[in-house]
Amino acid sequence: MEDVRKAMENIASHVLKVARNLNEEEVKKFLEILLSAHEKRHKVMVVGAGRSALVAKSFAMRLMHLGFTVYVMGETITPSVNKRDVIIAVSGSGRTQIVVSVASAAKRMGATIVAITSFPDSPLGRISDLIVRIPGRTKIAREIDYFARQVLGQYEPLAPLGTLFEDSALIFFDGVITALMNILGVSEDEMRDRHANVEYIG
Amino acid sequence: MEDVRKAMENIASHVLKVARNLNEEEVKKFLEILLSAHEKRHKVMVVGAGRSALVAKSFAMRLMHLGFTVYVMGETITPSVNKRDVIIAVSGSGRTQIVVSVASAAKRMGATIVAITSFPDSPLGRISDLIVRIPGRTKIAREIDYFARQVLGQYEPLAPLGTLFEDSALIFFDGVITALMNILGVSEDEMRDRHANVEYIG
Amino acid sequence: MEDVRKAMENIASHVLKVARNLNEEEVKKFLEILLSAHEKRHKVMVVGAGRSALVAKSFAMRLMHLGFTVYVMGETITPSVNKRDVIIAVSGSGRTQIVVSVASAAKRMGATIVAITSFPDSPLGRISDLIVRIPGRTKIAREIDYFARQVLGQYEPLAPLGTLFEDSALIFFDGVITALMNILGVSEDEMRDRHANVEYIG
Amino acid sequence: MEDVRKAMENIASHVLKVARNLNEEEVKKFLEILLSAHEKRHKVMVVGAGRSALVAKSFAMRLMHLGFTVYVMGETITPSVNKRDVIIAVSGSGRTQIVVSVASAAKRMGATIVAITSFPDSPLGRISDLIVRIPGRTKIAREIDYFARQVLGQYEPLAPLGTLFEDSALIFFDGVITALMNILGVSEDEMRDRHANVEYIG
């Protein structure tokens, strides 16, 4: 039980740190790209693998609630990519092979690529038009983890694998949604109206 | 940009509050149910709708990394439910029709139902064997929101719709994963070994 | 090996029989409803469970290639249903609970419900505005199966569970796509242009 | 209406031709690989893109009904690939980039790769341990189509894009299921018992 609380506090503190250290220029550009796609009714397409895909889908659902034309790579009715589209690629490491390969293919079609990643200097970062940095477990943290493991044996981090990046990216995206609501003047009621009113799971 | 930061801080503060107010008895019981399913190799099955489904899937993926026999309701290879199974139903309101209907059907098969919800006194809560309460926007917050909207017109909350519940539930589940790692003595390396090594999106 | 061939021939013969016995009035109405949705850019939304969901998605993908505004119930960016929408519900038995419940909810929103089913006199059939009958294993076949099982012991049908319905429904939908191509004058090249050009799996 | 019927007959005739021309050696090997995975409880993992992914999922669901340990690449709880696993890759052209890339990665892990394709001499075919050929629209048909288009202008084939391959592959897989039922002595009732008894869509 104490573990659960401590891990949650650890993640929430990380999110607070991410919020305080957001790069103003990056976020401003990201909002501009999204607002332009909204205004011109260009497609926004999200892509990720594993838990980052789930984070990307959570963002896509809210963009739909705000009236965007938005698609998830890999779902049934996702159409072809063209040069007016914006691709939002989510990968903590920036080296998830399939995400890099989708982003590269979309780039060849002339689309605008936005990378949400901890590593600007990564295969994904290098092909992107805009990088929004969301730190995950830092390199130093990894080295401390490694050192601790050597010394302490059983030591494990409070948030395994990509957890810190994924949870921070989700909450960053939710912050972006709030900003878009305010800028676009979309009310929560309008969002609720666009929200699926015929419930299903899946 | 300031909006993004403020909304992120708002969500992270909410998560911290949720962490501090977790009900010890509920969380202990939840861990016991999970550990018993792990030990006996019984199935754990998660279900949710909309963004809560994505949160449920994030948890299911990590349970798989820990060696659980786990399935997502609605995916291709999910088998039938039987009385030894544990169903984890995620619904902030506790009244998402499809989730209630799946949980009810599973209850009729004799499965153990765990509700992750803000509202214990809801259709989902009432049929569950265990309720873990994760507060979302509180009733008081809703009334303040409503009042503010009447008075201020354009006023909108910092986190629309189910955001506070969904993000808190995700981070609560991640806390549970950390606790399970420690109790089961599963290392991050073992989790990485079970993690999909052939990447794909979807 | 002989089993594989015989089962394939059995299924293909069933499809031929289904093709020859299509109800002209039902198919004509179905085409009219689809063409009207296409012309007015109203949403077409498909729903099914299990293998019928996969058949419904195959149809949705082709409708997208033809330029329809089409969604799959349960996918991330599926918006709310309204009275102008067409719901295509696929269920062999017509009693798949979740499909009936989605169709009922959509009907309450005023949408037009089309049932693709073997059983017009079923819960799904009864709430639908149009029924297109696609026979699966007939009642007589089931009785022969049952009789054969009593007498022959190990006897099993050549196509278990809903196979005959599902495969026939898929090919019926593909026939509808061909008809729509001709009526709308959409070429295969145009369809290929709309087809996802950035490949992914999922 | 006549179009619908003619297109269905065209597809069903193609399936019959595919059934009669199955390569006995290929199908026998495929059954052996599947039976061996079943006996040793090794994982079978399916992969495809677009409509071929839906066909692969339909097969995976039935393998689950037969008691196989089976996963779909890209779903939430799909674990890592190892050398004992069997990968079934479905691609008509044999050059769907993502499928080739997943199959290559799995091959590097030492898994057995089975290609279901119309083109043995393709990137997918070349890396596979076993190829099962399922013809789609033949090259000659394509040339006739092309010629007809030049001469007739509006001419379009009766089954656009990958339809003939996809529908034939689905029915081939259903034939394989029937053969496996007979060999393994699994009854339809046992399959029904494993079938999801808590319905959902998605």
Side-chain angles (χ1 to χ4, degrees), chain C residues 137 158 161 167 174 178 188, chain D residues 137 158 161 174 178 188:
Chain C
R137 202 158 10 133
L158 278 166
L161 305 170
D167 295 1
D174 281 334
T178 301
E188 195 181 22
Chain D
R137 200 154 16 131
L158 278 167
L161 304 170
D174 281 335
T178 300
E188 195 181 22

Side-chain angles (χ1 to χ4, degrees), chain C residues 68-81:
Chain C
F68 281 73
T69 302
V70 58
Y71 293 97
V72 176
M73 289 292 190
E75 293 202 336
T76 305
I77 51 94
T78 303
S80 52
V81 177

Side-chain angles (χ1 to χ4, degrees), chain C residues 81-195:
Chain C
V81 177
N82 65 49
K83 67 178 175 189
R84 294 178 303 277
D85 298 340
V86 175
I87 310 298
I88 301 175
V90 186
S91 166
S93 68
R95 39 188 81 252
T96 316
Q97 197 199 308
I98 211 115
V99 176
V100 175
S101 128
V102 164
S104 305
K107 195 181 177 64
R108 284 195 296 274
M109 312 290 160
T112 301
I113 315 295
V114 179
I116 312 293
T117 183
S118 307
F119 294 98
D121 186 25
S122 62
L124 178 61
R126 280 191 287 275
I127 61 162
S128 296
D129 298 286
L130 172 67
I131 296 169
V132 181
R133 276 170 297 167
I134 302 292
R137 202 158 10 133
T138 61
K139 236 182 153 174
I140 289 161
R142 274 175 211 270
E143 273 154 27
I144 292 173
D145 289 349
Y146 179 78
F147 174 77
R149 207 180 306 162
Q150 303 306 308
V151 177
L152 307 173
Q154 278 297 11
Y155 170 86
E156 289 302 329
L158 278 166
L161 305 170
T163 302
L164 288 181
F165 169 76
E166 293 144 9
D167 295 1
S168 301
L170 175 71
I171 294 175
F172 164 69
F173 280 138
D174 281 334
V176 168
I177 293 296
T178 301
L180 293 171
M181 282 176 77
N182 291 339
I183 298 170
L184 296 170
V186 175
S187 74
E188 195 181 22
D189 287 344
E190 291 171 80
M191 293 177 74
R192 194 176 287 111
D193 283 352
R194 289 203 194 85
H195 192 292

Side-chain angles (χ1 to χ4, degrees), chain D residues 39-60:
Chain D
E39 196 197 340
K40 301 180 185 157
R41 309 209 56 72
H42 291 169
K43 298 200 294 287
V44 175
M45 303 174 94
V46 305
V47 62
R51 287 183 28 129
S52 290
L54 300 172
V55 166
K57 287 179 181 181
S58 286
F59 186 46

